[in-house]
């Protein structure tokens, strides 16, 4: 048995260590990640995945099951099953042989239900859904017992079998656990464990017209798989007594449920219901839209598995609900890409510059460093010629006092190339728009030397006009203008809080010729602009599309400096 290399131990790892020390589960640690296949995985799921697979590999050589909690056929789909597996694998985790479906246990779950009935621990209730709700009582009032609660075992068994055989309409009866209608915990007031629902299941087809409820199915699935530590989010804390009751009543393997705080992030939404609404309403291009907090969206945006894992480590595991700043997630991908992404020059909003004293047909190649953080990444050649593009924002005709970039009569450095001085501004005679600049260069400054120690304050990125390639660049901003993911339940309100400027598409951008080789998913730093990756869907050879992963400005580093470190917004 190995102890974790990571010495930072959260309360869950502390429990696991204690259980190992006391030999509670004969030295076993088996966890599971149990998504419901009703949507794509999001960054919140990544937290749960890192925890479950992480704990398993740290303490037991890596047994973590992937189990699809497919007990609600109306909302589930194979598309989701496939995407979930792809996303877990992409994050770098492996369930080995241990891929399971709650639906594989439907026969077992049914048999357990008959056993509960036989033991007098469950009964068929024929109240309507509304009546059941009414009888349940409230937080301050105890519930009332259903008139059907005292049905004899034989009658319950007969009715339950006929429910299974399709003799009754949807909603005509339910099977309920017989626990305690006066319990202060509403979950213990005879919770429903089976309902009639004529729905086609993507795995079991039309075999069943009754389906088990989540709490019942989940506890027993854990038990069937001999899960030792069943890690779930805090909203299930009040369900734990039912979890324990179920396993005890049936005297089966006792898995242990432990709750932790879910991940909440600023400026996005994470409930799958809302994400689905965004997809179905056409507010985004799909589950993998780079603005989505989904794993597939983050992947397409240019995020790496390493950055997502680092983020989950930073956030940590606790019992307290917090909202984590999106700036922390961005900080994590910046740190990763800063070290690993090659740097190139790209001009997003080009302004033509003609260097009038540079020969028309001359081309020079300058050496550019691929990544100053990693000398092993080497250098490349960047072609230079008489006509280059610079960023339109890097020129001001009337520069304000702290503007150190190009202006009439002013000299700046073109990175890796030479010094240029702006001599003339050319305008469209009709519109007055600046169409090009005429500049001169200092031949003495070529290749990075500094003639007569002259100081030049601005350094601009650029590309050679005839050598550069055209590209589309997509800039993203936060999906949501604010942070309230829970809040009002009115769907329209949430849609109205979408950030209308979350996507900006720039066409006619000019990029360095070395990017002709870039393949889908490749990541770069565009100097002075941010980190970008080649879009995995829309990019074509000869017509590249780049997604901005994140800008260069690290607001998290600044927050950290001013407040000391904490993962909380
Ligand atoms: P949603 O509310 O978004 O629909 P869910 O909890 O219903 O999410 P499941 O597919 O049931 O989604 O979740 C699978 C696992 O991931 C569960 O164990 C759940 O606790 C965990 N999980 C879901 N969202 C988060 C989150 N934001 N932070 C941490 N864990 C999460
Ligand atoms: Mg769920």
């Amino acid at each position: 048995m190995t102890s974790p290399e990571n010495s930072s131990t959260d309360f869950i790892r502390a429990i696991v260590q204690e259980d190992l020390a006391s030999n509670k589960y004969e030295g076993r640690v088996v966890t599971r990640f149990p998504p419901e296949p009703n949507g794509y995985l999001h960054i919140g799921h990544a937290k749960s995945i890192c925890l479950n697979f992480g704990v398993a590999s740290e303490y037991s050589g890596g047994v973590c099951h992937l189990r699809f909690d497919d007990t609600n056929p109306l909302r589930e789909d194979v598309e989701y099953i496939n995407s979930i597996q792809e996303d877990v694998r992409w994050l770098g985790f492996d369930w080995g042989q241990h891929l399971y479906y709650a639906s594989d246990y439907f026969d077992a779950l049914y048999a357990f239900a008959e056993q509960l009935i036989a033991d007098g621990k469950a009964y068929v209730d024929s109240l309507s859904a509304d009546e059941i709700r009414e009888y349940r009582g409230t937080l301050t009032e105890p519930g009332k017992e259903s008139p059907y609660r005292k049905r004899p075992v034989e009658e319950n068994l007969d009715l339950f079998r006929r429910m299974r055989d399709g003799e009754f309409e949807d909603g005509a009866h339910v099977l309920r656990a017989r626990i305690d209608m006066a319990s202060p915990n509403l979950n213990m007031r005879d919770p429903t464990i089976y309902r009639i629902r004529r729905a086609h299941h993507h795995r079991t087809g039309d075999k069943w017209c009754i389906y088990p409820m989540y709490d019942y199915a989940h506890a027993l699935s854990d038990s069937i798989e001999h899960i030792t530590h069943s890690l779930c989010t805090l909203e299930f804390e009040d369900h734990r007594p039912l979890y324990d009751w179920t396993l005890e009543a049936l005297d089966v393997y006792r898995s242990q449920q432990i709750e932790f705080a879910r991940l909440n992030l600023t400026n996005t939404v994470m409930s799958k219901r809302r994400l689905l609404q965004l997809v179905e309403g056409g507010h985004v291009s799909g589950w993998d839209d780079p603005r989505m907090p989904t794993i597939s969206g983050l992947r397409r945006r240019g995020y790496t598995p390493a950055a997502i894992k680092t983020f989950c480590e930073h956030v940590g595991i606790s019992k307290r609900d917090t909202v984590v700043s999106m700036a922390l997630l961005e900080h994590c991908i910046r740190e990763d890409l800063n070290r690993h992404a090659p740097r190139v020059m790209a001009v997003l909003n080009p302004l033509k510059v003609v260097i009038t004293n540079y020969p028309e047909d001359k081309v020079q190649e300058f050496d550019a460093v691929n990544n100053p953080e990693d000398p092993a990444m080497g250098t490349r050649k960047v072609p230079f010629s008489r006509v280059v593009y610079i960023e339109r924002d890097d020129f001001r005709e009337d520069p304000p006092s702290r503007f150190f970039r190009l202006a009439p009569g002013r000299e700046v450095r073109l990175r890796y190339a030479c010094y240029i001085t702006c001599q003339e501004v050319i305008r469209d005679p009709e519109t007055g728009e600046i169409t090009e600049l005429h500049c001169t260069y200092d031949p003495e400054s070529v290749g990075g030397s500094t003639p007569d120690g002259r100081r030049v304050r601005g350094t601009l990125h650029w590309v050679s006009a005839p050598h550069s390639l055209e590209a589309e660049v997509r800039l993203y901003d936060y999906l949501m203008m604010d942070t309230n993911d829970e809040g009002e339940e009115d769907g329209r309100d949430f849609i109205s809080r979408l950030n209308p400027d979350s996507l900006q598409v720039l066409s006619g951008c000019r990029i360095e010729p070395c990017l002709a080789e870039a393949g889908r998913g490749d990541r770069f730093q565009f100097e002075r602009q941010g980190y970008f990756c080649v879009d995995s869907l829309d990019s074509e050879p000869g017509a590249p599309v780049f997604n901005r992963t994140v800008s260069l400005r690290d607001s998290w580093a600044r927050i950290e400096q001013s407040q000391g470190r904490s993962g909380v917004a």
Side-chain angles (χ1 to χ4, degrees), residues 33-36 42 44-45 47-48 231-233 260 262-263 270-272:
F33 173 64
E36 184 181 354
H42 53 59
H45 292 114
K47 174 176 175 174
S48 173
L231 313 177
C232 63
T233 38
F260 64 95
R262 67 192 299 119
L263 173 70
M270 267 193 273
S271 113
K272 280 186 277 187

Side-chain angles (χ1 to χ4, degrees), residues 42-58:
H42 53 59
I43 182 79
H45 292 114
K47 174 176 175 174
S48 173
I49 292 168
C50 289
L51 175 65
N52 278 294
F53 282 92
V55 164
S57 72
E58 287 158 30

Side-chain angles (χ1 to χ4, degrees), residues 314-506:
H314 265 281
V315 168
I317 299 297
S318 81
K319 274 271 188 197
R320 200 167 52 97
D321 262 318
T322 55
V323 181
V324 175
S325 170
M326 187 66 91
L328 176 59
L329 181 59
E330 295 179 339
H331 172 76
C332 293
I333 186 63
R334 259 186 216 107
E335 296 265 287
D336 184 359
L337 295 179
N338 180 44
R339 273 176 278 128
H340 300 119
R343 298 186 187 183
V344 296
M345 294 193 285
V347 177
L348 303 190
N349 189 6
L351 175 60
K352 189 174 167 185
V353 171
V354 179
I355 302 166
T356 52
N357 61 339
Y358 194 87
E360 294 245 5
D361 48 4
K362 185 171 170 180
V363 176
Q364 272 176 292
E365 285 191 324
F366 297 118
D367 287 314
V369 178
N370 287 332
N371 189 335
E373 301 286 322
D374 181 5
M377 289 173 75
T379 60
R380 67 185 185 285
K381 299 283 185 197
V382 183
F384 179 79
S385 66
R386 188 171 195 265
V387 183
V388 300
Y389 290 115
I390 63 166
E391 212 66 61
R392 205 164 263 275
D393 282 354
D394 281 339
F395 174 77
R396 286 287 192 86
E397 209 165 14
D398 281 311
S401 64
R402 295 190 50 77
F403 186 89
F404 300 121
R405 294 168 268 165
L406 199 59
R410 185 175 299 170
E411 187 172 48
V412 295
R413 179 190 291 109
L414 293 183
R415 186 139 164 88
Y416 302 121
C418 58
Y419 290 2
I420 59 168
T421 303
C422 178
Q423 308 291 358
E424 200 185 343
V425 179
I426 312 295
R427 294 177 176 283
D428 183 316
E430 305 272 296
T431 64
E433 194 203 4
I434 298 173
T435 52
E436 59 185 67
L437 303 177
H438 285 179
C439 297
T440 52
Y441 86 115
D442 178 355
E444 295 290 303
S445 70
V446 168
S449 58
T450 320
D452 58 40
R454 209 157 71 224
R455 217 159 92 88
V456 168
R457 296 195 73 165
T459 298
L460 310 187
H461 63 275
W462 55 276
V463 293
S464 163
H467 300 93
S468 65
L469 312 169
E470 192 171 324
E472 176 178 311
V473 170
R474 299 173 182 172
L475 304 180
Y476 301 100
D477 199 345
Y478 296 139
L479 184 60
M480 300 299 300
M481 293 190 289
D482 60 28
T483 293
N484 186 2
D485 194 7
E486 309 303 322
E488 63 283 70
E489 279 306 300
D490 175 7
R492 237 183 52 241
D493 256 356
F494 132 76
I495 295 294
S496 72
R497 291 185 289 110
L498 281 170
N499 176 2
D501 302 317
S502 58
L503 171 63
Q504 193 189 344
V505 178
L506 306 176

Side-chain angles (χ1 to χ4, degrees), residues 291-302:
R291 290 167 290 182
M292 294 278 269
T294 50
I295 304 297
S296 52
L298 291 167
R299 175 164 64 232
R300 196 171 158 197
R301 178 86 171 250

